[in-house]
Amino acid sequence: MKPNKIILALVILLSGFSAHAQFPMPDQVPIWDANTVTLTLHKISDNVYAVSPSTVEKETTQGIPQATSAGFIVGEKGVLLIETMLNKRLYNQLYALVRSVTKKPILYAVNTSDHGDHCFGNYLLPQETVLIQNEFCKENLSKNYENIKKFMISLFGKGRGIEESIYRPADITIAVNQSLKLDLGAGNIVEFINVGTAQSPADLFVYLRSPYKNVLWAGNPVIAESPAIPWLFDGYFLEPVSNFTKIYNMIGDNDVVVPGHGRITNKAGMKFTMDYLTALKENVENAVKSGKTLEQTKAQVTMKEFNKGYALFNWLHFNFNIPNAYKDIKANTP
């Protein structure tokens, strides 16, 4: 198969796109380079840590795409690790940061997505670690792991250690509209929440309720604060809008939010994503009601007020977010 046909086949497999879908690549590939990322530790409260690329404080608000964020919580008996990263290099950095804080065993690990930058380090976890995922996440990874690896290589480049990743099945899965609570001691209760598709069907939110600070690891549904916009390239729109709203309304104004790919923020930092999704829904609904074609809708729904310098704005907005919004809204319009 030619390269563009391989990419098309992967998108159909992974995202439910129609057989006529195309997958244009962003101007810059890799989107970020896993061979150069340096991870840093951010203490949120006693025994609660976020882990982010060293560039997030400077570059998030400049609109430069960032590598994956992660974190961990040190419980009374051991550690809960949140994300396992894209490759061995980044997993080893994350592991070293955990060990800089505690020698307790990694009892649990959780993936917020089936995208490889969140889960391809699973095979490096200690054998005794209990791995937690959304139910769809496990199913999709079990069936499509090699294809997902190829897809991730297309976005993040060859020679980044993606090729070495080996599938490891989850030990615990959480079904749609279900959640699981884990008591780590000292008043730290972690809830793993599957509201359904909020960016992809594999999403899992990790919400710590703590006597000190509540913390939400939001994964890909919250890429980052402004100027970043959602990555809706998994083929869905109406369900993500609804489910993102559920999470947005669930958390408090003073809660800490760790985005999937940006600096630590809060509920106010999620508002740009909320406003973008709301405006896109309204604009595309109006276009569909007035009989506009998809191409006419793209020309009309430029949403320049949200184009505040995010490097991937045009790639996402016109190639994925508008088409998926148009498809879902038109299918649900009498």
Side-chain angles (χ1 to χ4, degrees):
M1 294 177 74
K2 295 180 179 180
N4 63 329
K5 290 186 177 180
I6 292 173
I7 293 170
L8 172 58
L10 289 172
V11 172
I12 294 169
L13 175 64
L14 299 176
S15 309
F17 278 24
S18 73
H20 302 290
Q22 297 295 321
F23 192 84
M25 301 301 289
D27 291 338
Q28 178 178 319
V29 175
I31 294 173
W32 44 264
D33 191 343
N35 285 345
T36 63
V37 170
T38 299
L39 298 177
T40 55
L41 190 65
H42 305 267
K43 184 174 182 178
I44 296 174
S45 62
D46 286 347
N47 297 319
V48 181
Y49 299 85
V51 174
S52 305
S54 61
T55 52
V56 292
E57 293 301 325
K58 179 180 179 181
E59 295 184 354
T60 298
T61 56
Q62 294 178 356
I64 300 171
Q66 299 297 294
T68 316
S69 293
F72 61 95
I73 303 165
V74 182
E76 290 180 345
K77 296 182 179 179
V79 176
L80 166 65
L81 186 66
I82 301 150
E83 314 293 26
T84 61
M85 315 312 282
L86 180 66
N87 61 16
K88 184 176 181 180
R89 178 181 179 272
L90 293 175
Y91 174 88
N92 285 345
Q93 288 187 48
L94 175 59
Y95 184 84
L97 292 172
V98 173
R99 288 291 166 251
S100 73
V101 171
T102 180
K103 300 303 180 185
K104 291 181 179 181
I106 299 174
L107 295 180
Y108 304 96
V110 58
N111 305 134
T112 67
S113 174
D114 60 358
H115 293 184
D117 54 308
H118 297 261
C119 65
F120 275 2
N122 289 346
Y123 76 107
L124 299 166
L125 289 165
Q127 185 174 1
E128 64 272 17
T129 301
V130 175
L131 181 59
I132 303 168
Q133 293 174 347
N134 162 321
E135 189 174 67
F136 176 91
C137 181
K138 179 179 181 178
E139 180 181 0
N140 195 39
L141 288 170
S142 69
K143 293 178 179 178
N144 300 314
Y145 203 75
E146 292 305 312
N147 284 327
I148 295 171
K149 283 168 64 174
K150 292 175 185 177
F151 178 68
M152 297 303 292
I153 290 169
S154 74
L155 289 178
F156 297 101
K158 296 179 180 179
R160 267 74 182 184
I162 300 170
E163 297 88 345
E164 285 73 46
S165 182
I166 301 166
Y167 172 65
R168 172 173 173 168
D171 301 292
I172 296 174
T173 60
I174 301 164
V176 175
N177 297 321
Q178 299 295 315
S179 66
L180 173 69
K181 290 184 179 180
L182 181 63
D183 187 345
L184 294 176
N188 290 322
I189 308 295
V190 179
E191 186 171 11
F192 308 100
I193 306 170
N194 182 357
V195 295
T197 302
Q199 191 260 356
S200 82
D203 295 323
L204 192 64
F205 292 92
V206 180
Y207 188 42
L208 168 67
R209 292 177 173 88
S210 164
Y212 307 101
K213 292 181 180 179
N214 294 344
V215 185
L216 175 72
W217 276 268
N220 285 337
V222 184
I223 290 294
E225 63 192 90
S226 174
I229 61 171
W231 290 40
L232 298 177
F233 62 24
D234 280 65
Y236 307 89
F237 179 70
L238 288 175
E239 192 176 353
V241 173
S242 174
N243 291 330
F244 180 87
T245 303
K246 291 177 187 176
I247 296 297
Y248 182 80
N249 291 335
M250 179 190 78
I251 68 170
D253 292 340
N254 296 320
D255 289 357
V256 174
V257 176
V258 182
H261 295 269
R263 69 180 185 179
I264 296 169
T265 186
N266 52 23
K267 186 172 183 175
M270 295 173 62
K271 192 172 186 301
F272 188 77
T273 296
M274 185 79 259
D275 290 346
Y276 171 85
L277 291 170
T278 301
L280 181 58
K281 182 173 182 288
E282 181 179 348
N283 287 331
V284 174
E285 282 176 344
N286 290 337
V288 169
K289 288 176 183 177
S290 63
K292 296 285 195 301
T293 65
L294 174 58
E295 291 307 313
Q296 289 171 331
T297 301
K298 287 183 181 181
Q300 176 179 304
V301 184
T302 57
M303 291 175 56
K304 292 181 180 179
E305 68 274 23
F306 290 94
N307 189 355
K308 296 181 178 294
Y310 188 45
L312 300 177
F313 181 90
N314 287 335
W315 178 63
L316 292 164
H317 182 70
F318 294 103
N319 293 312
F320 306 104
N321 296 0
I322 289 178
N324 288 326
Y326 185 90
K327 176 192 63 142
D328 272 7
I329 290 169
K330 188 169 184 179
N332 287 275
T333 300

